[in-house]
């Protein structure tokens, strides 16, 4: 048997495995995206502080963390040899929490501290507060970047396993 014959047979064998490889690529992309979403959610601030105290007005629902799963696209879209998924959070303030933001002193109509000591919002009330006087800059939490890092770790690990299976 010639070297060229053995190489030709190996190439034919790998070509037969291509549909399985394509399915695995898609599964790896989807699995890595799901892990990225979980990682981003884990690094998104919850609606309570560590001691159980409830955070401010926009933190009560936990919507920021929930939006990682509703706004992301986990099912891979194939274009040629590329599989694309999306890690996203479309809450209007997500980028501020992720990247950080300046805090300027400004008046917020309807914002007040209730009898229970919690910050509350009621646009119908004739109240308001000046905010942003103590903190000049709120650092970002980089939730998206942590999710992307997790995606890379998971995808690289799974692709190494796949390479071992295909080349055996």
């Amino acid at each position: 048997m010639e070297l060229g014959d053995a190489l030709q047979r190996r190439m034919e064998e790998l070509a037969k495995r291509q549909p399985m490889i394509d399915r695995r690529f898609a599964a790896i992309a989807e699995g890595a995206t799901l892990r990225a979403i979980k990682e981003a959610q884990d690094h998104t601030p919850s609606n309570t502080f560590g001691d159980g105290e409830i955070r401010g007005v926009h933190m009560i629902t936990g919507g920021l963390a929930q939006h990682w799963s509703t706004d992301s696209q986990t099912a891979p879209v194939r274009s040629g040899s590329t599989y694309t998924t999306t890690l996203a959070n479309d809450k209007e303030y997500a980028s501020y929490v992720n990247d950080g933001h300046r805090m300027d002193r400004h008046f917020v109509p309807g914002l007040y501290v209730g009898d229970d000591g919690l910050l509350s919002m009621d646009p119908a009330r004739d109240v308001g507060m000046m905010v942003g006087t103590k903190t000049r800059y709120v650092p970002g939490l980089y939730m998206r970047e942590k999710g992307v890092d997790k995606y890379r770790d998971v995808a690289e690990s799974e692709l190494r396993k796949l390479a071992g299976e295909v080349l055996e």
Side-chain angles (χ1 to χ4, degrees), residues 105-154:
R105 186 175 178 186
H106 59 283
F107 182 76
V108 179
L111 186 65
Y112 67 98
V113 176
D115 295 334
D116 55 6
L118 293 176
L119 193 60
S120 299
M121 178 70 139
D122 182 358
R125 289 186 66 174
D126 189 25
V127 294
M129 291 179 65
M130 290 297 289
V131 297
T133 56
K134 292 182 182 176
T135 305
R136 290 286 182 215
Y137 183 78
V138 177
L141 299 178
Y142 304 104
M143 308 157 298
R144 183 181 52 82
E145 289 79 359
K146 291 171 184 168
V148 169
D149 289 345
K150 177 58 81 173
Y151 179 96
R152 285 188 182 122
D153 292 345
V154 170

Side-chain angles (χ1 to χ4, degrees), residues 72-87:
S72 296
Q73 177 189 340
T74 60
V77 175
R78 183 174 179 184
S79 176
S81 62
T82 303
Y83 293 83
T84 304
T85 60
T86 305
L87 176 64

